[in-house]
Amino acid sequence: MAVYLVGFLVSFSIAKTIEKWSTKSVGFWVWSFVLLLIPCLIAGLRADTVGTDVLVYALPLYDLAESSTSLSNYYSAHWWSVWRYMGPADYEVGFSLLIWLSSVIGSNFSSALFAIQAFTICPIYIALVKVRKSSSISISLGLLVYLLLYFNVSLNLMRQWIAMAFLLLAITYLQDRKQLHYLIWSIIAFLFHDSAILVSFIVYVLWRYVYSRNSGYYRRTLIAALISLLVIVFGLRIVASLLSTFGFTGYIQYIGAGEVSVVPSQLFLLAPGVLLLLFFWKRYGNNKNQLYLLILSMIIGVFASQLGSITDQSSRLAQYFSYQAILAFPLAYSAISDRNQRRLFWTVSVLYCGVYWVIVYVAMGANQTVPYMFA
């Protein structure tokens, strides 16, 4: 556990120090490299038992890559997995190719785990830097939200988290109304996990609706949240039927089609983050336009987390919405003008994230990442 906390503290401290520096300075990017290197080393040097899915597909793929003589040979190889043969072609092309390149460039499996985290944290950091240029957000707070809430799960759901990282970067372009850029980065996300294309479509529809006019954001956000709740509670069978009709049957696994029941643990863990942002709503002044979509997504994340009562795959879909807290928290912090209120928001945010990390990853042992063990 100490490895995580020390690494998080060092990376956060560097981010806190340089976040006011000009992004055009060499020093900013040199120290950015250092603060990003630390989480990548933690990910790369871990044992293959840290993170449930490492042994499920990451290590088998790497072993195939190591024993292959060429890329074509790699893609034609396979291994026996529980009840059927699996191979690189059974996984998204982006992830399979990343594993193969890691075996070519690196010397062992640690290089692949290092690369996976690099492809996760770098797009997230770039997204924070990009938003900082327009909104003067706290990069360190956004980074801390990622490290405490999501770093450990990214060591498990590796493919999905690379996709989510690129989709987060895409969302920053959507907020700037650069729809072509959003499409390009969404496609890149899809190359690492096919669920990204479904979520990118949903996010785009939400964005189009919420920002369809230059006023009335609050009302449309409430309507969108209510419709989302009704769909999740009553409309999953209809959505599944539509997906099947249009030939997207593979995506039904992500929404489920059974009866949704309350999952108290998810409400307890996710709702406080949303409530915190809403509590400070009147203190954001006029700088909160970008927050509507992000908070709406987090609210949908709370609703979607209840899909875990149907299947585990369904609950994973909720992370695509909840993780937008990485942008929402620093944006909310920057929108608060009163210094004392900013300090209070910062303190409560860090406390919430820290308690979440202890409960989820230490006490509950989610994703099998604690205790940390070296390879």
Side-chain angles (χ1 to χ4, degrees):
M1 189 170 75
V3 174
Y4 293 119
L5 296 180
V6 172
F8 293 171
L9 179 61
V10 173
S11 287
F12 166 75
S13 299
I14 295 173
K16 186 66 175 175
T17 301
I18 70 172
E19 65 183 0
K20 298 294 185 181
W21 297 5
S22 171
T23 55
K24 297 180 180 179
S25 68
V26 175
F28 176 85
W29 291 107
V30 169
W31 283 107
S32 292
F33 172 79
V34 175
L35 73 88
L36 294 174
L37 179 65
I38 295 169
C40 291
L41 286 174
I42 293 174
L45 296 176
R46 74 187 193 270
D48 56 22
T49 54
V50 178
T52 311
D53 284 356
V54 174
L55 293 175
V56 174
Y57 60 81
L59 183 57
L61 282 173
Y62 185 83
D63 288 339
L64 288 184
E66 276 282 271
S67 60
S68 299
T69 56
S70 64
L71 180 59
S72 59
N73 181 245
Y74 167 62
Y75 265 93
S76 63
H78 56 265
W79 78 92
W80 181 257
S81 176
V82 185
W83 58 275
R84 69 185 183 101
Y85 285 105
M86 299 287 291
D90 294 297
Y91 296 93
E92 293 81 3
V93 62
F95 188 82
S96 294
L97 186 59
L98 177 62
I99 295 294
W100 181 77
L101 288 173
S102 300
S103 72
V104 173
I105 299 172
S107 58
N108 52 43
F109 184 51
S110 292
S111 60
L113 296 177
F114 180 97
I116 291 168
Q117 183 56 213
F119 268 67
T120 303
I121 197 171
C122 287
I124 291 174
Y125 187 75
I126 293 171
L128 289 168
V129 172
K130 182 178 178 300
V131 176
R132 178 224 163 176
K133 291 180 180 179
S134 60
S135 303
S136 301
I137 68 167
S138 171
I139 294 176
S140 60
L141 180 56
L143 180 68
L144 192 65
V145 171
Y146 166 69
L147 292 175
L148 289 175
L149 297 188
Y150 305 116
F151 176 77
N152 288 71
V153 67
S154 76
L155 301 183
N156 176 27
L157 308 181
M158 295 164 285
R159 293 153 48 224
Q160 179 174 327
W161 262 93
I162 294 177
M164 290 169 63
F166 281 111
L167 187 57
L168 191 72
L169 180 57
I171 290 171
T172 65
Y173 284 100
L174 192 61
Q175 295 279 38
D176 291 338
R177 298 185 178 275
K178 296 181 179 179
Q179 299 179 53
L180 179 59
H181 290 77
Y182 177 75
L183 175 62
I184 292 171
W185 287 110
S186 295
I187 292 173
I188 293 174
F190 172 71
L191 296 177
F192 290 91
H193 205 275
D194 57 10
S195 61
I197 203 68
L198 174 63
V199 178
S200 65
F201 174 75
I202 296 174
V203 170
Y204 181 76
V205 170
L206 293 173
W207 174 80
R208 290 285 295 184
Y209 176 68
V210 171
Y211 298 106
S212 58
R213 297 175 185 174
N214 292 327
S215 61
Y217 300 140
Y218 186 80
R219 178 177 58 84
R220 287 194 294 276
T221 299
L222 287 177
I223 293 173
L226 179 60
I227 293 174
S228 300
L229 177 61
L230 292 175
V231 169
I232 290 172
V233 175
F234 302 109
L236 291 182
R237 295 184 187 279
I238 297 175
V239 174
S241 178
L242 289 173
L243 289 173
S244 178
T245 300
F246 290 100
F248 296 104
T249 55
Y251 293 102
I252 296 177
Q253 62 178 313
Y254 297 114
I255 63 168
E259 295 295 328
V260 179
S261 58
V262 176
V263 184
S265 61
Q266 290 300 310
L267 289 176
F268 172 77
L269 292 168
L270 299 177
V274 176
L275 294 175
L276 173 61
L277 292 168
L278 294 178
F279 177 80
F280 282 87
W281 186 258
K282 292 184 178 180
R283 298 166 179 82
Y284 296 148
N286 298 320
N287 302 317
K288 56 190 176 187
N289 286 353
Q290 294 186 74
L291 281 169
Y292 286 101
L293 177 64
L294 299 175
I295 294 179
L296 171 61
S297 296
M298 291 176 63
I299 292 172
I300 293 174
V302 175
F303 296 158
S305 68
Q306 304 308 293
L307 295 176
S309 61
I310 302 176
T311 67
D312 179 59
Q313 287 286 72
S314 300
S315 64
R316 292 184 177 191
L317 188 67
Q319 291 190 34
Y320 274 104
F321 299 97
S322 299
Y323 88 125
Q324 293 182 42
I326 296 171
L327 295 179
F329 275 82
L331 273 169
Y333 174 74
S334 68
I336 301 173
S337 56
D338 183 83
R339 181 177 297 180
N340 291 329
Q341 292 294 323
R342 283 165 68 96
R343 288 175 178 171
L344 177 62
F345 180 86
W346 179 282
T347 302
V348 178
S349 297
V350 174
L351 181 62
Y352 163 66
C353 293
V355 171
Y356 182 100
W357 189 83
V358 171
I359 292 176
V360 174
Y361 303 116
V362 179
M364 296 175 61
N367 302 286
Q368 297 182 9
T369 58
V370 176
Y372 181 87
M373 290 179 285
F374 287 98

